[in-house]
Amino acid sequence: MIQRRITTDPGDDAVSNLMEYLILSGMLLLLLVMVMFTVNAVFMEGPADTLQYHAFIDIGNGISTRIVDMYVIAPTNGGISTQFDIPDDVAGREYLVEADLERAKQRILVSSGDIRSSISIAGIGATRGVTGNTTGAGWNVIEYSSEGF
């Protein structure tokens, strides 16, 4: 029986190793890019949006409470003014606070981009309309005048 040996050219091994390395590296690089986009959306943007929404609810409740408290102590004739401070930003993003009167429903809207929260002001919307807007920067003022503005 005659045995034949099959031999390969040593240059072929080097080329196949290089091609394997390039293909494998390319696939891993593509996977890394996909993971980076997913990590940003899942682990950074999602929790930041959740934090922002709940912080907006807290800010709106605080402003609503201040407005109702001011309404309780408001004089029949005259005016009253108070300053308050709210956070400058939430999760590194600025936001807008609006007092909106829609029919008899008084609402405080806190928003930034797609994140919005709406908090109703208990019971004073039908008797006294509250309007205006502010941002978180600096001191904010709530003013009441029995004559109106």
Side-chain angles (χ1 to χ4, degrees):
M1 179 180 254
I2 298 175
Q3 287 186 337
R4 292 187 182 181
R5 289 189 177 184
I6 300 174
T7 60
T8 58
D9 186 15
D12 289 346
D13 287 341
V15 171
S16 66
N17 285 340
L18 177 65
M19 289 303 292
E20 179 184 354
Y21 174 76
L22 288 176
I23 291 171
L24 189 61
S25 296
M27 289 173 34
L28 290 175
L29 188 61
L30 183 65
L31 182 63
L32 178 67
V33 168
M34 289 175 23
V35 166
M36 287 182 66
F37 285 122
T38 304
V39 163
N40 184 40
V42 171
F43 293 118
M44 297 177 87
E45 292 295 323
D49 290 347
T50 302
L51 168 74
Q52 205 171 15
Y53 176 74
H54 290 290
F56 287 173
I57 290 174
D58 290 343
I59 291 167
N61 282 332
I63 293 173
S64 173
T65 302
R66 287 181 180 99
I67 291 171
V68 171
D69 289 349
M70 181 176 261
Y71 173 73
V72 169
I73 63 171
T76 307
N77 294 318
I80 188 170
S81 175
T82 183
Q83 283 187 335
F84 64 95
D85 192 23
I86 53 178
D88 291 339
D89 60 7
V90 175
R93 301 174 190 157
E94 294 181 356
Y95 59 95
L96 178 66
V97 178
E98 299 174 87
D100 182 29
L101 181 62
E102 182 180 304
R103 298 183 198 132
K105 294 182 181 180
Q106 183 71 51
R107 300 180 306 166
I108 301 294
L109 301 170
V110 185
S111 63
S112 174
D114 294 340
I115 312 298
R116 308 188 110 225
S117 69
S118 176
I119 295 89
S120 62
I121 299 177
I124 69 168
T127 56
R128 310 225 182 203
V130 179
T131 60
N133 58 36
T134 186
T135 62
W139 285 95
N140 301 287
V141 178
I142 299 175
E143 293 180 329
Y144 166 80
S145 173
S146 61
E147 297 172 1
F149 287 98

